[in-house]
Amino acid sequence: MRISSTQVLLLGVFALSQTCPVLSFAPVITSIRKSPPTTSTTPAKKKRHVLKTSSSSSSTPRESLANTNKSQQQKGRSATNQLKKIMKTVLPLAAGIVLFKTTALPTSLPQMFTYTAIRSSSNAFLSAINSFFLSFPYIAAFTVCGFKAALADFVAQRSALSSSSDKATSASGQAKVTQATFEYRRNIAFLFYGGAYQGCVQEYIFNHIFPFLFGSSTDILTVFIKVTTDMLILSPFLCLPVAYIIKGFIYKQSIDKSIRRYIFDVKENMLLTKYWMLWGPVQFLTFGIIPEHFRIGWIAFI
């Protein structure tokens, strides 16, 4: 789809109309502000004004020439500022006209996202990433989500270790404190959980099952159905329970205890409400704007 010449012309007229009226009336406004107010004066004031005028009219030719040069300099600066303002509007408009005339724009939001991300840069690295996500979706999903989960656990463990070391320092004179260490097994468990479930399983659900059930369109009705299915069915009965079970496995808790903890958080801590407030808007972007091969990576970094 190309932008017509009429639309480009309308854009130019609108942009110039926003700038030129202000510029054309600027000298008039300035002169009005500088002119003295016209008020009725008493005879005494009028006499003083006449004396002042007569004294000012007797100025030397050198002073008159200096005043003339000063006014010309002010006019020159005013004209330069007006030209700068016009160029700030005209140059981007000209660049936009060239872009519209030489480039065919995408027709849908996902195409526009990919077009902007890849076309706007000639960096071969971005093209390689785009090709990798298109050609190997499951490997890309496992890599991105596994790295994200392992990194989040690494940050959490380091924070816990630093706080425990501070407590050990404060209690060193009172009792013997066992020094906590980094749990590599836990970090690997988060790596495989993030890569396997959050990556590969969600890649299959969102990019294969959802298009099979609801289609691949990005219109508002299709997006709404996908988000509603995710929020009311997939998340409460699969996504969140699995997350609690995996967390219980990592902390050596039974499945029954993990499920009871999940139900308690839903009832007492408004877990689902908080989840919907965050992930509802995010999933509208996921299914409406983000290209299909970038959806899992987008979800991973929220």
Side-chain angles (χ1 to χ4, degrees):
M1 182 183 70
R2 292 181 178 274
I3 303 299
S4 64
S5 302
T6 305
Q7 291 174 324
V8 174
L9 181 60
L10 290 176
L11 286 174
V13 171
F14 173 76
L16 292 176
S17 67
Q18 298 299 311
T19 306
C20 292
V22 178
L23 298 178
S24 59
F25 288 104
V28 179
I29 297 173
T30 305
S31 62
I32 292 175
R33 289 178 178 175
K34 289 184 178 180
S35 61
T38 57
T39 56
S40 59
T41 56
T42 60
K45 290 183 179 180
K46 188 173 182 180
K47 184 177 180 180
R48 288 198 298 269
H49 179 69
V50 171
L51 293 175
K52 185 177 179 181
T53 305
S54 62
S55 63
S56 62
S57 61
S58 62
S59 58
T60 62
R62 182 178 298 177
E63 293 177 353
S64 300
L65 181 62
N67 294 332
T68 303
N69 293 335
K70 186 176 180 181
S71 62
Q72 290 178 354
Q73 291 176 0
Q74 291 177 353
K75 290 181 180 179
R77 284 195 296 266
S78 177
T80 303
N81 293 333
Q82 292 180 17
L83 181 61
K84 287 181 180 179
K85 291 180 180 179
I86 294 175
M87 295 303 293
K88 286 181 180 179
T89 303
V90 173
L91 289 180
L93 179 61
I97 292 173
V98 174
L99 178 64
F100 290 146
K101 287 293 185 181
T102 57
T103 308
L105 296 179
T107 57
S108 64
L109 286 177
Q111 290 178 3
M112 187 177 295
F113 185 91
T114 306
Y115 177 90
T116 305
I118 305 303
R119 174 86 177 179
S120 62
S121 176
S122 59
N123 196 334
F125 181 68
L126 293 179
S127 298
I129 291 178
N130 186 61
S131 300
F132 176 71
F133 274 78
L134 280 171
S135 304
F136 308 100
Y138 287 99
I139 297 177
F142 185 94
T143 303
V144 172
C145 294
F147 172 77
K148 178 252 184 177
L151 180 63
D153 177 68
F154 175 81
V155 173
Q157 287 201 55
R158 295 298 298 179
S159 177
L161 288 175
S162 62
S163 62
S164 64
S165 63
D166 293 339
K167 292 180 181 179
T169 303
S170 61
S172 59
Q174 301 177 2
K176 185 178 179 180
V177 180
T178 58
Q179 182 67 29
T181 58
F182 187 85
E183 300 180 28
Y184 292 97
R185 182 179 177 182
R186 165 182 156 178
N187 192 254
I188 294 174
F190 271 101
L191 171 68
F192 280 97
Y193 162 70
Y197 175 73
Q198 293 182 335
C200 296
V201 173
Q202 290 192 358
E203 165 70 25
Y204 182 71
I205 293 173
F206 291 151
N207 293 336
H208 294 82
I209 295 180
F210 271 28
F212 175 77
L213 295 177
F214 312 116
S216 301
S217 176
T218 56
D219 62 272
I220 187 63
L221 179 60
T222 304
V223 172
F224 178 78
I225 293 174
K226 289 180 179 180
V227 173
T228 304
T229 303
D230 181 27
M231 294 294 104
L232 300 182
I233 298 176
L234 189 63
S235 297
F237 299 105
L238 180 63
C239 178
L240 292 174
V242 168
Y244 272 77
I245 291 173
I246 296 298
K247 182 179 178 181
F249 172 77
I250 293 173
Y251 288 100
K252 299 178 181 180
Q253 298 175 356
S254 64
I255 296 178
D256 180 64
K257 185 176 181 179
S258 300
I259 295 298
R260 283 190 280 108
R261 178 64 185 177
Y262 167 64
I263 295 173
F264 176 82
D265 285 343
V266 169
K267 292 182 177 180
E268 303 297 332
N269 297 328
M270 302 177 65
L271 174 65
L272 286 179
T273 303
K274 297 175 182 177
Y275 183 90
W276 291 334
M277 290 176 63
L278 171 64
W279 286 101
V282 169
Q283 293 299 70
F284 268 101
L285 296 176
T286 301
F287 297 115
I289 296 179
I290 306 300
E292 184 176 303
H293 58 291
F294 284 144
R295 285 175 182 170
I296 303 304
W298 157 259
I299 293 172
F301 285 98
I302 296 300

